[in-house]
């Protein structure tokens, strides 16, 4: 079976390491905050001006003034700092973010990402994505492997306007975990019950499959 949103976020959380400064984009990436592994300390950054973002609040913790970049209510972790967006983007542009997790419309085999607009559709703006993919040391994309029409989102070349070039390192989809290197997607893991053949059929770009591909674990 393909992964749901929570499971994708749970798998991405396994990529976190102790001491990381991490920016979580809107959508599935924000759910990663709920699955930070025990025994490590990471500082989650929200580009609207919060360093030290905690998990989503319970009803008792709800504070309408404490929001992330997606305007969702969040909590602040111990040691958190609040500042203006100019300082936030100085952190991002200065290369102080170890990992950015964000969604995308398309990713291609060269690590290019298209995530900010679809021509002729209404958009509010590009947000901070272009700064994030240019400034972070590592980029992980979360997305569905194919569109609702069955068209692959992992392509030879992106067809939509690019957000960043040669920047994506890893992709976690509802079907697989893939690494982007040497001009190809390399299949690392597959979702439980998903066959390699299905992943191959839904990957339009160059896909490298070596040996037995293990199923994902969430421990």
């Amino acid at each position: 079976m393909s992964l749901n949103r929570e499971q994708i976020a749970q798998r991405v959380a396994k990529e976190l390491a102790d001491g990381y400064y991490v920016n979580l984009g809107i959508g599935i990436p924000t759910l990663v905050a709920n699955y930070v592994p025990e025994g490590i300390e990471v500082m989650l950054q929200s580009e609207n001006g919060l360093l030290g973002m905690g998990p989503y609040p319970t009803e008792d913790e709800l504070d309408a003034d404490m929001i992330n970049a997606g305007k969702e209510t969040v909590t602040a972790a111990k040691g958190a700092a609040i500042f203006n967006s100019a300082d936030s983007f100085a952190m991002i542009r200065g290369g102080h973010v170890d990992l950015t997790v964000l969604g995308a419309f398309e990713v291609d085999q060269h690590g290019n990402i298209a995530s900010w607009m679809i021509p002729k559709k209404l958009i509010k703006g590009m947000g901070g994505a272009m700064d994030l993919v240019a400034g972070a040391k590592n980029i992980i994309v979360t997305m569905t492997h194919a569109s609702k029409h069955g068209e692959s989102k992992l392509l030879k070349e992106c067809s939509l306007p690019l957000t960043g070039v040669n920047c994506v390192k890893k992709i976690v989809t509802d079907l697989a975990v893939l690494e982007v290197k040497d001009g190809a997607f390399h299949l690392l893991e597959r979702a439980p019950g998903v066959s390699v053949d299905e992943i191959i059929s839904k990957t339009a770009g160059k896909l490298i499959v070596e040996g037995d591909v293990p199923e994902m674990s969430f421990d």
Side-chain angles (χ1 to χ4, degrees):
M1 291 179 61
S2 59
L3 303 183
N4 60 32
R5 291 164 54 88
E6 296 283 348
Q7 290 171 316
I8 293 174
Q10 194 174 356
R11 175 59 187 82
V12 171
K14 293 185 65 176
E15 301 295 319
L16 303 178
D18 191 43
Y20 265 18
Y21 290 87
V22 182
N23 183 284
L24 301 177
I26 296 169
I28 294 173
T30 59
L31 300 174
V32 174
N34 292 331
Y35 298 104
V36 176
E38 293 183 8
I40 71 168
E41 184 174 327
V42 298
M43 292 295 278
L44 302 178
Q45 194 234 28
S46 184
E47 66 206 58
N48 59 321
L50 172 61
L51 181 65
M53 185 168 56
Y56 285 115
T58 63
E59 195 68 32
D60 294 335
E61 297 171 324
L62 195 64
D63 180 351
D65 292 323
M66 182 68 71
I67 61 171
N68 62 18
K71 301 181 178 61
E72 300 171 306
T73 52
V74 293
T75 59
K78 183 178 180 180
I82 296 172
F83 35 84
N84 64 41
S85 61
D87 289 334
S88 178
F89 277 92
M91 294 176 186
I92 294 166
R93 293 168 182 166
H96 303 293
V97 175
D98 296 297
L99 172 64
T100 286
V101 184
L102 74 166
F105 299 130
E106 298 174 344
V107 176
D108 70 27
Q109 64 195 40
H110 304 290
N112 301 327
I113 176 175
S115 68
W116 73 280
M117 74 167 293
I118 297 175
K120 299 182 181 180
K121 288 196 174 184
L122 180 65
I123 60 168
K124 295 180 180 179
M126 67 184 69
M130 289 185 178
D131 291 281
L132 286 163
V133 298
K137 299 169 186 173
N138 189 13
I139 311 294
I140 296 177
V141 167
T142 66
M143 62 194 300
T144 55
H145 211 96
S147 71
K148 61 184 179 181
H149 304 296
E151 298 169 341
S152 179
K153 295 183 179 181
L154 282 75
L155 308 174
K156 291 182 179 178
E157 292 185 1
C158 290
S159 63
L160 297 172
L162 295 182
T163 308
V165 176
N166 303 129
C167 57
V168 176
K169 307 294 185 186
K170 191 169 284 187
I171 307 161
V172 180
T173 76
D174 55 335
L175 302 181
V177 178
L178 308 104
E179 184 179 10
V180 184
K181 64 179 182 180
D182 303 326
F185 300 110
H186 294 252
L187 182 58
L188 303 181
E189 301 173 18
R190 54 192 173 87
V194 172
S195 69
V196 171
D197 286 342
E198 180 178 357
I199 295 166
I200 292 171
S201 70
K202 293 183 178 178
T203 305
K206 183 180 179 181
L207 178 64
I208 305 297
V209 181
E210 296 179 330
D212 292 329
V213 179
E215 291 189 347
M216 295 180 206
S217 68
F218 301 94
D219 299 331

